[in-house]
Amino acid sequence: MTSAMEHRYRRLLAWYPRSWRAAHGEAFLGTLLDVADGQSRAHPTFKERWAIAEHGLEARLDRVVVPEVRNAASTVALAMGAGLALAEFVFTSWSPWIRSNPTPGLMVQVGPFRDTGFAFAALWIIALLAALTGRWAIGRATLFILMLLAGVSPYFFASPSGVWSVDRATLFLLSMCAAVAAIGRPHRSHHTAAATVGWALLGALSYASTSDFTEWLYSRSIWNGNLYAWYATGVLELVAIGLALARYWRPAFTIVLSLVPYVGALSFNRLRGYVGDSGSVTILAVPLIIGLLLLALHSAGRLELPRPPTKRTAKRSGS
């Protein structure tokens, strides 16, 4: 039984990169076998399988994005996705100030809700609560479900049922936020909840700027002619460049990775023709791609970056 159990665990350790297995694999394997033997088990538990797969993938991601940057960007992406999903829910899916069906005969409402935004908002809230309560495995699983639902909802709901889906542009943005959030571990802090509220308010302002609340807003209206997000992204990229020039690489890379959902969604949606005039994609995409390339090379150990200035160095330069 021991040899069979060892074989099963060795197969699970394939989730980890080869360098990690060479350094820690045998010790980790011995611990797993000792625990299984003490519990008289002949097979790994589901919890063990999930944990090994999760931590193994994280070890592989460490070679692409360093953990500090990945976790910080994950926090931003989680707050962004949850906040924007809540704004979409309030302004387009629910719209409590509009009491009747805005398009009778075309739209099939689900109770008081006018599109599938209520489902995405619920999934984001579950992921946020999972992060804040230290149950991030549940949060990650929820985000994977969210990305799957975002991929199928425009096709599954509209044709057979008449239930309107959140527009593809917004769905792609939410999916990108979910992907960036899932690759890290968001900070378990009240700041994460506060940032979510901030993103919800920003989303609300964006929707409010396109309507006087007398007509129902389709979720895509947040994109058409909305240059606020474009200008804000440009400013953040300039801040990241300034931080990089000052050799503060970690916050610079965090900004770069945090901007991936918006710039990626804007690029994809512009190519597919899902959105209107929202600013030049190229101006935002080029510096972001350069930043991501530097981040990947640095994380893989192929690029040595100058160290950030210390307090002692700053005092010397000041004197």
Side-chain angles (χ1 to χ4, degrees), residues 219-278:
S219 57
R220 187 181 297 180
S221 60
I222 195 175
W223 293 92
N224 295 330
N226 183 2
L227 292 175
Y228 300 110
W230 188 91
Y231 284 123
T233 302
V235 170
L236 287 173
E237 288 188 349
L238 291 176
V239 171
I241 292 172
L243 289 170
L245 292 175
R247 296 182 293 174
Y248 291 102
W249 298 102
R250 184 180 299 177
F253 285 144
T254 298
I255 292 174
V256 167
L257 189 57
S258 299
L259 292 177
V260 166
Y262 175 73
V263 178
L266 188 63
S267 303
F268 177 81
N269 294 330
R270 182 63 60 81
L271 291 174
R272 298 297 298 270
Y274 290 155
V275 297
D277 183 18
S278 298

Side-chain angles (χ1 to χ4, degrees), residues 151-175:
V152 302
S153 64
Y155 310 98
F156 179 77
F157 290 103
S159 299
S161 64
V163 176
W164 283 28
S165 170
V166 178
D167 70 285
R168 291 179 176 87
T170 304
L171 286 177
F172 194 84
L173 174 61
L174 295 179
S175 296

Side-chain angles (χ1 to χ4, degrees), residues 289-301:
I289 292 172
I290 295 174
L292 290 174
L293 179 61
L294 292 175
L295 173 59
L297 291 174
H298 173 63
S299 301

Side-chain angles (χ1 to χ4, degrees), residues 52-129:
I52 290 173
E54 185 178 30
H55 295 149
L57 289 175
E58 285 183 348
R60 291 183 180 275
L61 283 171
D62 288 346
R63 305 178 66 182
V64 181
V65 182
V66 290
E68 297 84 358
V69 172
R70 198 172 71 240
N71 294 337
S74 173
T75 305
V76 176
L78 177 67
M80 182 193 306
L84 295 180
L86 284 173
E88 193 282 334
F89 164 71
V90 172
F91 278 83
T92 70
S93 180
W94 185 20
S95 302
W97 51 87
I98 298 178
R99 300 186 180 277
S100 60
N101 189 326
T103 56
L106 295 176
M107 174 189 294
V108 176
Q109 294 192 186
V110 181
F113 307 127
R114 297 175 173 87
D115 65 22
T116 55
F118 69 93
F120 291 100
L123 290 172
W124 274 109
I125 292 301
I126 293 172
L128 178 64
L129 292 176

Side-chain angles (χ1 to χ4, degrees), residues 141-216:
T142 303
L143 293 179
F144 289 137
I145 295 172
L146 187 149
M147 287 186 279
L148 178 62
L149 181 62
V152 302
S153 64
Y155 310 98
F156 179 77
F157 290 103
S159 299
S161 64
V163 176
W164 283 28
S165 170
V166 178
D167 70 285
R168 291 179 176 87
T170 304
L171 286 177
F172 194 84
L173 174 61
L174 295 179
S175 296
M176 292 290 289
C177 288
V180 174
I183 65 174
R185 290 182 176 272
H187 298 312
R188 186 181 174 185
S189 167
H190 64 279
H191 296 296
T192 305
T196 302
V197 174
W199 278 106
L201 292 175
L202 287 174
L205 288 173
S206 296
Y207 277 112
S209 66
T210 63
S211 173
D212 57 1
F213 297 97
T214 59
E215 297 180 354
W216 177 70

